[in-house]
Amino acid sequence: PGKLWLTSLKEKDGKMELKGLAFDNPTIAQFMTNLEKTGVIRNVELVVAQQWERKEIKLKEFTLTCQVNYAITQTGPAS
């Protein structure tokens, strides 16, 4: 908590793009791993990660893409 912030989230037809800022690359990597562990999100890929500076603050700006499997989240009564 407090090491990564999402600035944009777009989803269409099961494809998602997430953009954000993080303190460092290991934080981005851990976020990607945590997304995969949900079982709903798969094929998480890092599209870009670059240094972002404002005044004396240095962060990593990143873009991720992944696929969302909505079928897993929809559980109905057993037949």
Side-chain angles (χ1 to χ4, degrees):
K3 290 185 171 184
L4 184 142
W5 302 267
L6 290 180
T7 59
S8 172
L9 189 150
K10 297 178 185 176
E11 186 277 337
K12 184 175 181 180
D13 300 326
K15 295 179 182 177
M16 190 170 1
E17 178 187 80
L18 301 99
K19 292 184 179 187
L21 297 167
F23 274 120
D24 51 33
N25 288 333
T27 300
I28 298 169
Q30 184 62 54
F31 181 62
M32 293 172 69
T33 299
N34 291 345
L35 287 173
E36 289 270 1
K37 286 181 180 178
T38 66
V40 176
I41 296 173
R42 58 190 168 90
N43 299 331
V44 179
E45 294 184 17
L46 179 64
V47 177
V48 66
Q50 59 191 17
Q51 191 74 27
W52 179 90
E53 286 187 48
R54 188 149 299 158
K55 297 186 181 178
E56 293 183 18
I57 300 172
K58 293 182 181 181
L59 297 172
K60 294 287 184 173
E61 185 175 38
F62 65 89
T63 301
L64 304 176
T65 58
C66 58
Q67 294 180 333
V68 183
N69 185 354
Y70 292 109
I72 292 175
T73 63
Q74 298 174 357
T75 56
S79 0

